[in-house]
């Protein structure tokens, strides 16, 4: 009896925690199993030399103010019964898309982007407005199986490769699971969440959200086990009955929700070869530089810069270790925290697409070579970010070359800590939008369910709990 649950959730990332809260709210006996010693998965946190770092957080997408009922963020607060104050969100200042030296800026006020398009692309403003109207009214079902190319639709509607690339750039970097294109349905979700809604950040970073979710889950009587790896899902008669843990124990449940990825879950069922789906291969390297100075004091106003140095954007796995010609620079200090709140250090977070196989081969060959390459690449990324910021703000002051700290992670790090094959952040391009796997009682939530990012993953956990486990009236 003790090891029998109503639901077992594999993974204490954003989607697993949200699913757990939703089920515990309805009195279900829920157990979350997490292989790592901290919660958060792809968006966790760690301490290093006395400083607290977020693993991934650049921006919380989908930011809207209170009262906008249909927005995912406000729906999330309602469904998890938490107040928005608990997330302590602050809005971005201004973000920039910079392609081949040409900039387009956006804020959380959509009319600002519209003005920018009118200014930089006066011939295409009507086409842009029509496109936005089309996106606002798009109600196509999210579970249609066929791929509809967002590139093709943008090409036809905008007839302006530069504007097309500018709109795609943040969308690729914040949710693109395939090279050079994205399914229209995912494009619409991301366009709304980045441009029509907006970007924000909790003052204390991701731990604020994770602490809120964990507390809520525990208050509701939810159970969790950390450092607890699921080795196998018990499938008999095409039905999931329970899980075998790495320590040899067995837990049974009426329902199992997995947040670890599609192929990753099928592997636990010994059935990876029965699906034609390939794991995603797009991954990133991230560098975090701790500066002596506050970036705004140097004259840098941007919150996030999405940049591409070539004439057309390239969003693909690079040939070399990473592609420093395009990427994102995030300055967590440049959210509007108000006059009396300031982060303790100046921070730059820099991301580039990376080649997982190359990093893994380097590690296999020689750990010292891998470590040296990390250090060299981190410094190169930092220098690139520095020169880009100086090109954007020529009058800005140069900052001290002496960094207080510099950390770096590779696709191997992501794979090692989260179990996502290839360190793929946005999972496989073949999403399971129904959340149903081919075995009864087994469901998929999170990235491979087709919802991207922090808010998207939480909404995914809620949607799976509502539609497959609670009654349909909860959807
Ligand atoms: C570097 C980086 C930067 C990012 N930046 C942003 C951002 O700025 N904004 C944004 O919105 N999104 C961002 N994301 C994406 C966002 O973090 C993810 O979309 C989201 O966190 C995914 O949550 P999830 O619950 O679907 O999956 P995961 O976070 O992957 O959760 C799955 C969990 O399952 C655990 N697990 C795996 N295998 C097992 C097993 N066998 N047994 C038990 N547990 C297991 C893992 O340890 C993990 O904790 C970023 C991601 C990364 C990596």
């Amino acid at each position: 009896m003790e090891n029998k649950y109503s639901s077992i959730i594999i993974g204490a990332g954003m989607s697993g925690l949200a699913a757990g809260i939703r089920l515990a709210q309805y009195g279900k006996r829920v157990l979350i199993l997490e292989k790592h010693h901290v919660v958060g998965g792809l968006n966790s946190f760690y301490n290093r030399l006395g400083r607290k770092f977020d693993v991934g957080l650049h921006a919380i997408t989908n930011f809207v103010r209170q009262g906008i009922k249909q927005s995912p963020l406000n729906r999330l607060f309602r469904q998890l019964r938490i107040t928005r104050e608990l997330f302590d969100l602050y809005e971005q200042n201004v973000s920039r898309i910079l392609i081949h030296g040409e900039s387009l800026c956006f804020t959380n006020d959509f009319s600002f982007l519209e003005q920018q398009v009118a200014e930089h692309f006066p011939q295409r403003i009507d086409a842009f407005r029509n496109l936005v109207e089309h996106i606002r009214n798009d109600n196509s079902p999210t579970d249609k199986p066929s791929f509809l190319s967002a590139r093709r639709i943008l090409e036809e509607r905008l007839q302006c490769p530069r504007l097309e690339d500018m709109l795609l750039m943040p969308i690729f970097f914040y949710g693109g699971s395939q090279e050079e294109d994205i399914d229209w349905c995912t494009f619409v979700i991301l366009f709304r969440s980045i441009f029509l809604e907006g970007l924000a950040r909790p003052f204390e970073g991701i731990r604020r959200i994770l602490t809120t979710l964990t507390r809520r889950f525990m208050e509701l009587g939810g159970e969790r086990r950390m450092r607890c790896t699921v080795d196998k899902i018990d499938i008999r008669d095409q039905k999931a009955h329970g899980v075998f843990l790495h320590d040899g124990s067995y837990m049974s449940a009426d329902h199992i929700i997995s947040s670890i990825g599609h192929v990753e879950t099928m592997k636990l069922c010994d059935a990876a070869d029965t699906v034609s789906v390939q794991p995603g291969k797009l991954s990133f390297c991230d560098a975090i530089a701790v500066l002596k100075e506050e970036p705004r004091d140097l004259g840098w106003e941007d919150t996030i810069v999405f940049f591409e140095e070539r004439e057309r954007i390239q969003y693909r796995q690079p040939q070399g270790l990473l592609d420093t010609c395009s990427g994102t620079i995030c300055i967590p200090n440049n959210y509007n925290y108000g006059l009396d709140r300031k982060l303790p250090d100046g921070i730059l977070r820099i991301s580039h697409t990376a080649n997982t196989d190359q990093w893994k081969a380097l590690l296999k060959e020689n750990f010292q070579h891998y470590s040296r390459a990390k250090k060299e690449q981190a410094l190169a990324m930092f220098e690139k970010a520095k020169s880009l910021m100086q090109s954007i703000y020529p009058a800005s002051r140069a900052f001290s070359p002496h960094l207080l700290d510099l950390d770096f992670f590779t696709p191997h790090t992501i794979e090692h800590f989260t179990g996502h094959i290839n360190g793929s952040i946005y999972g496989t391009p073949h999403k399971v939008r129904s959340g149903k796997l081919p075995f009864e009682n087994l469901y998929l939530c999170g990235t491979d369910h087709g919802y991207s990012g922090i808010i998207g993953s939480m909404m995914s956990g809620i949607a799976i709990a509502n539609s497959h486990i609670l009654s349909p009236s909860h959807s």
Side-chain angles (χ1 to χ4, degrees), residues 10-16 33-36 38 40-43 55-61 174 228-231 259-260 268 286 349 409 414 417-420 425-426 445-447 451-455 457:
I10 310 174
M14 297 292 171
S15 62
L33 300 169
E34 168 56 53
K35 70 177 187 140
H36 202 22
V38 280
L42 285 166
N43 229 302
V55 171
L57 178 68
H58 287 207
I60 303 285
T61 56
Y174 280 1
C228 182
T229 301
V230 173
D231 271 356
S259 67
I260 69 173
L268 293 188
D286 250 55
R349 305 190 63 107
F409 60 85
I414 299 173
F417 282 105
T418 67
H420 286 285
I425 292 183
Y426 301 120
C445 71
T447 313
Y451 291 64
S452 302
I454 295 164
I455 301 296
S457 297

Side-chain angles (χ1 to χ4, degrees), residues 210-221:
L210 290 171
T211 310
T212 303
L213 296 179
T214 311
R215 267 197 203 135
R216 179 92 187 108
F217 179 65
M218 306 305 265
E219 273 165 20
L220 290 163

Side-chain angles (χ1 to χ4, degrees), residues 262-263 272 274-280 428-432 448:
H262 186 176
V263 181
T274 63
V275 285
S276 55
V277 171
Q278 293 299 312
T428 169
H430 312 280
K431 303 300 182 193
V432 183
D448 283 351

Side-chain angles (χ1 to χ4, degrees), residues 74-348:
N74 288 335
R75 214 160 59 229
L76 184 131
F77 291 135
R78 282 199 305 278
Q79 290 268 313
L80 299 184
R81 296 183 203 151
I82 49 181
T83 59
R84 66 162 41 224
E85 288 69 36
L86 288 171
F87 276 17
D88 195 29
L89 295 174
Y90 293 85
E91 295 188 52
Q92 66 164 324
N93 187 34
V94 60
S95 291
R96 179 184 303 270
I97 305 156
L98 177 69
I99 301 185
H100 203 54
E102 198 177 348
S103 278
L104 196 71
C105 293
F106 65 97
T107 62
N108 288 358
D109 174 0
F110 185 72
S111 64
F112 182 78
L113 175 63
E114 211 174 338
Q115 262 173 38
Q116 286 269 303
V117 175
E119 227 170 84
H120 295 269
F121 301 93
Q123 313 285 326
R124 308 314 311 149
I125 183 65
D126 289 340
F128 174 74
R129 287 194 178 120
N130 286 338
L131 173 77
V132 173
E133 213 37 43
H134 184 62
I135 292 170
R136 282 188 197 274
N137 296 327
D138 188 288
N139 289 320
S140 25
T142 51
D143 57 355
K144 61 179 174 30
S146 57
F147 175 83
L148 190 58
S149 161
R151 261 242 183 257
R152 189 63 48 78
I153 293 176
L154 294 183
E155 249 165 43
E156 279 164 15
R157 287 186 162 261
L158 295 174
Q159 308 210 346
C160 174
R162 177 55 52 82
L163 181 56
E164 175 191 319
D165 278 0
M166 283 186 151
L167 299 181
L168 279 170
M169 183 84 192
I171 286 171
F172 280 164
F173 271 87
Y174 280 1
S177 56
Q178 79 178 73
E179 295 182 325
E180 308 294 12
D181 204 350
I182 190 161
D183 183 42
W184 173 250
C185 159
T186 311
F187 175 87
V188 168
I189 295 173
L190 287 163
F191 187 96
R192 288 175 179 157
S193 68
I194 296 169
F195 295 124
L196 291 174
E197 295 169 351
L199 307 181
R201 181 182 184 276
F203 181 74
E204 291 160 36
I206 203 64
R207 80 198 56 222
R208 177 77 185 208
I209 292 183
L210 290 171
T211 310
T212 303
L213 296 179
T214 311
R215 267 197 203 135
R216 179 92 187 108
F217 179 65
M218 306 305 265
E219 273 165 20
L220 290 163
E223 296 171 48
R224 66 168 188 178
R225 289 211 191 167
M226 307 303 288
R227 289 186 200 273
C228 182
T229 301
V230 173
D231 271 356
K232 192 168 158 43
I233 299 174
D234 175 20
I235 303 283
R236 278 171 282 138
D237 306 323
Q238 294 298 304
K239 199 168 166 181
H241 295 270
V243 293
F244 294 96
L245 305 182
H246 193 66
D247 67 6
S249 55
Y250 179 81
M251 309 271 161
S252 70
D254 298 330
H255 305 277
I256 296 170
I257 301 179
S258 170
S259 67
I260 69 173
H262 186 176
V263 181
E264 293 83 346
T265 303
M266 293 305 280
K267 273 189 160 181
L268 293 188
C269 302
D270 286 334
D273 51 356
T274 63
V275 285
S276 55
V277 171
Q278 293 299 312
K281 60 176 187 175
L282 277 165
S283 192
F284 298 85
C285 278
D286 250 55
I288 307 170
V290 184
L291 313 177
K292 272 187 148 179
E293 300 89 348
E294 164 82 16
R296 250 188 240 213
D297 294 344
L298 302 169
W300 299 353
E301 296 294 330
D302 294 353
T303 307
I304 296 168
V305 179
F306 301 88
F307 70 91
E308 170 62 77
E309 294 181 323
R310 292 161 289 230
E311 227 171 290
R312 295 299 312 262
I313 55 171
Q314 284 186 19
Y315 183 71
R316 65 173 80 129
Q317 182 170 264
Q319 299 280 310
L321 288 172
L322 45 84
D323 177 7
T324 55
C325 292
S326 74
T328 65
I329 301 168
C330 168
I331 306 179
N333 307 76
N334 286 354
Y335 284 85
N336 296 318
Y337 302 120
L339 292 176
D340 54 339
R341 293 189 103 178
K342 227 176 179 194
L343 297 184
D345 298 299
I347 308 269
L348 281 190

